[in-house]
Amino acid sequence: MLDYLRENLQSPHSVNELATRLAMSRSTFTRHFRKATGMSVAQWLIETRLQKGRDLLESSQLTIENIAEQIGFKSAVGFRQHFLKKHQISPKAWRKQFSIRSS
């Protein structure tokens, strides 16, 4: 399931849809997911999307808007807000500091 989610970050995912995909009840799925990852589905998706966003900021010239879309945030604003909350730096500043092109 984690591989599926990583490959489909741009898509919206609901706990019900994921549980159905694995033929589990919602509660069984969420219990197993939390045991395997240490976090809720929503938390895991945000963390994984931010990780992919960091990779794209460092290795591509895609716009912030394009990155947000590719990694599954509904808007660039949402991506920027989550990124800033997690890293205390904007995606633009992250790119400037860590881009492989700026080395």
Side-chain angles (χ1 to χ4, degrees):
M1 178 57 62
L2 296 179
D3 287 339
Y4 166 78
L5 290 171
R6 282 187 196 99
E7 292 169 10
N8 295 281
L9 282 177
Q10 74 285 357
S11 300
H13 299 286
S14 73
V15 172
N16 289 336
E17 168 245 327
L18 297 172
T20 299
R21 186 178 272 279
L22 294 175
M24 293 181 178
S25 70
R26 179 185 173 98
S27 60
T28 299
F29 173 75
T30 55
R31 185 175 65 251
H32 284 291
F33 193 92
R34 188 173 290 278
K35 186 176 180 184
T37 65
M39 55 187 88
S40 71
V41 173
Q43 291 169 317
W44 187 90
L45 281 169
I46 289 169
E47 289 296 319
T48 305
R49 286 172 170 152
L50 289 174
Q51 179 180 12
K52 179 69 174 176
R54 289 190 305 269
D55 293 345
L56 290 170
L57 287 167
E58 294 170 15
S59 65
S60 78
Q61 293 296 320
L62 293 171
T63 66
I64 303 300
E65 290 75 15
N66 287 340
I67 291 172
E69 183 179 315
Q70 279 194 21
I71 61 176
F73 282 99
K74 292 180 182 175
S75 70
V77 172
F79 173 50
R80 286 184 182 101
Q81 289 172 339
H82 282 287
F83 199 95
L84 189 57
K85 182 178 179 184
K86 169 105 177 143
H87 300 295
Q88 292 77 49
I89 187 173
S90 71
K92 183 178 178 179
W94 182 279
R95 172 176 271 163
K96 187 174 181 179
Q97 186 171 351
F98 296 109
S99 174
I100 57 174
R101 294 176 199 338
S102 64
S103 314

